[in-house]
Amino acid sequence: MRRNNIVLLLIIIAFLGGCKSKNNVVPLLIYNDADPYMEEFRDNILERTPDEYSIEAYDSQNSQIIQNEFIENLLKEEPPVMIINPVDRLGAYTIVLKAKEVNVPVIFINREPLEEDLYLWDQVYYVGAPAERSAELQSEIIMELFGDSNALGVNDLNGDNIIQVILLKGEQGHQDAETRTEVVMNELETNGYEVEILVIEIANWKTSEGYEAMMELLPIYGEQLELVISNNDAMAIGAIQALMELEYFQDLDNDGFIDHETEPWIPVVGIDGITEALELITSGYLYGTVINDSESMAEAIIELTTAIINGDDVNTISYILIDNKYIWVDYKKYVLDEN
Ligand code: BGC
């Protein structure tokens, strides 16, 4: 009898334990783990997970089909909330409808769904950074570098008072790629800078594509080139690799640092502030970047997740939740002189 009781107790404990872990695991679906920015973003979220619940990350491998399969299976386990970085932001429509059916709140991150999809249900949120602002700050870095728009400084290599640019664009249709490209150009022009776009090349946020694009473009446009504007750091890093290989950067004294006064260089500006980019700024290869603050976004995501799990009012967290939907985290400029 006594033994039976113990067995029963063990079964109950195992059952409760099972339920607890099941309901306490928050899935985090990243669009592609091979994206260095998202890798850092994911780690920033995981590092901040409080003891009360756990977060399990999934790599959607840049496939909305794979991500949808994950979501379908995970929803069956009734997680308390899901954090989703959609592969295709238009895929959010279906995701919201499925989650709503089983009453699982969704926090979208980084790839902004259409407004109408976010408003399909009141338990859907978006945490991101305002793309326009990143381009404004990127244009400020460029303006500060080139100086007076009527009399550009030494970085106007051919002295024609026009900035000759190669622009590396992120993935077509991504809100950040479209807005950053348009706004950085508009900002420079409205501030009186004359810019000649030698070419805009889509390099899909990737270092490898940034490198390949530049290896093709430099033999054609290299002599005119005065500035590389990149929609993100990963592509900027690819551009720098090509510029190094074709000797547009030359570390003449081999001190591991490009001296902008005395050594050949071409300004490259990125966005994100990933670790490798910050190192390249320190060594003078990347001129500047705009921090796409995934640490603060991770904090906001954790606070929102915790509030949802605890059934607290989501408006009481320390980040402003606009219209019960949006949390916007601001960008920051980062260049060597300021740090
Ligand atoms: C980042 C890119 C990243 C993309 C992924 C953007 O906000 O700047 O580096 O590849 O998000 O969705």
Side-chain angles (χ1 to χ4, degrees):
M1 193 65 187
R2 229 177 121 198
R3 216 171 118 200
N4 280 352
N5 279 349
I6 292 171
V7 170
L8 190 65
L9 192 68
L10 287 177
I11 292 173
I12 292 171
I13 289 171
F15 178 71
L16 287 177
C19 282
K20 194 163 178 260
S21 71
K22 208 173 178 184
N23 292 326
N24 261 348
V25 182
V26 176
L28 164 64
L29 291 100
I30 298 297
Y31 95 93
N32 187 6
D33 277 7
D35 180 315
Y37 173 72
M38 285 317 302
E39 201 191 333
E40 289 190 8
F41 198 159
R42 178 201 61 202
D43 291 346
N44 281 330
I45 297 172
L46 294 177
E47 274 164 24
R48 287 169 174 76
T49 313
D51 293 340
E52 330 153 38
Y53 55 88
S54 61
I55 298 185
E56 198 166 326
Y58 295 83
D59 176 12
S60 312
Q61 297 158 56
N62 209 10
S63 156
Q64 191 59 59
I65 298 171
I66 294 179
Q67 187 171 69
N68 286 346
E69 265 176 37
F70 278 141
I71 293 173
E72 222 152 278
N73 289 327
L74 287 162
L75 282 176
K76 288 184 196 140
E77 295 178 18
E78 297 175 17
V81 50
M82 285 181 110
I83 306 167
I84 303 179
N85 171 215
V87 179
D88 173 1
R89 65 199 197 103
L90 303 180
Y93 174 78
T94 320
I95 298 172
V96 172
L97 293 185
K98 280 189 185 145
K100 186 180 175 192
E101 234 174 65
V102 288
N103 204 28
V104 174
V106 179
I107 303 172
F108 287 107
I109 62 168
N110 168 263
R111 299 179 152 225
E112 188 187 344
L114 299 180
E115 196 179 323
E116 61 251 43
D117 294 344
L118 286 179
Y119 281 85
L120 285 168
W121 187 33
D122 61 359
Q123 305 263 27
V124 181
Y125 308 91
Y126 178 68
V127 178
E132 234 183 80
R133 184 82 188 122
S134 59
E136 283 166 15
L137 294 174
Q138 194 181 42
S139 73
E140 281 178 24
I141 293 176
I142 296 166
M143 293 188 278
E144 281 155 20
L145 171 67
F146 279 84
D148 182 351
S149 63
N150 295 313
L152 298 180
V154 288
N155 295 300
D156 176 22
L157 301 176
N158 63 0
D160 65 352
N161 219 47
I162 302 170
I163 310 174
Q164 274 77 20
V165 171
I166 290 180
L167 193 148
L168 295 176
K169 190 176 172 188
E171 192 183 322
Q172 285 282 65
H174 190 301
Q175 83 280 348
D176 289 341
E178 303 301 336
T179 307
R180 286 173 186 169
T181 302
E182 197 186 310
V183 175
V184 74
M185 296 314 304
N186 283 350
E187 283 294 304
L188 291 171
E189 274 157 30
T190 48
N191 281 287
Y193 289 81
E194 231 183 298
V195 175
E196 183 189 347
I197 293 280
L198 300 171
V199 60
I200 296 183
E201 192 72 30
I202 294 168
N204 292 311
W205 302 125
K206 293 184 185 154
T207 299
S208 57
E209 291 191 33
Y211 168 79
E212 280 151 26
M214 290 299 283
M215 287 303 278
E216 273 178 32
L217 296 172
L218 285 170
I220 309 167
Y221 300 105
E223 276 184 28
Q224 302 163 65
L225 181 65
E226 292 170 344
L227 171 70
V228 179
I229 301 177
S230 178
N231 279 173
N232 80 343
D233 285 346
M235 298 185 294
I237 292 167
I240 290 169
Q241 289 168 355
L243 287 161
M244 284 168 84
E245 198 169 316
L246 300 181
E247 299 187 329
Y248 286 81
F249 282 104
Q250 286 179 44
D251 181 12
L252 299 174
D253 56 6
N254 279 318
D255 67 349
F257 177 82
I258 294 292
D259 185 333
H260 296 166
E261 305 282 315
T262 58
E263 292 173 322
W265 72 294
I266 292 283
V268 179
V269 286
I271 292 178
D272 279 342
I274 57 173
T275 310
E276 195 182 344
L278 300 184
E279 285 164 10
L280 286 169
I281 290 180
T282 308
S283 57
Y285 285 93
L286 180 62
Y287 179 70
T289 191
V290 178
I291 311 264
N292 192 0
D293 185 357
S294 68
E295 292 186 8
S296 300
M297 281 186 264
E299 266 170 33
I301 291 162
I302 292 291
E303 282 195 32
L304 187 56
T305 303
T306 308
I308 294 171
I309 291 180
N310 293 339
D312 295 340
D313 178 356
V314 285
N315 287 294
T316 58
I317 66 171
S318 68
Y319 287 82
I320 299 171
L321 186 64
I322 298 170
D323 204 16
N324 236 39
K325 279 273 162 253
Y326 292 95
I327 293 178
W328 295 112
V329 169
D330 204 3
Y331 289 90
K332 297 181 198 111
K333 269 190 283 185
Y334 189 104
V335 295
L336 196 57
D337 301 341
E338 289 180 359
N339 294 283

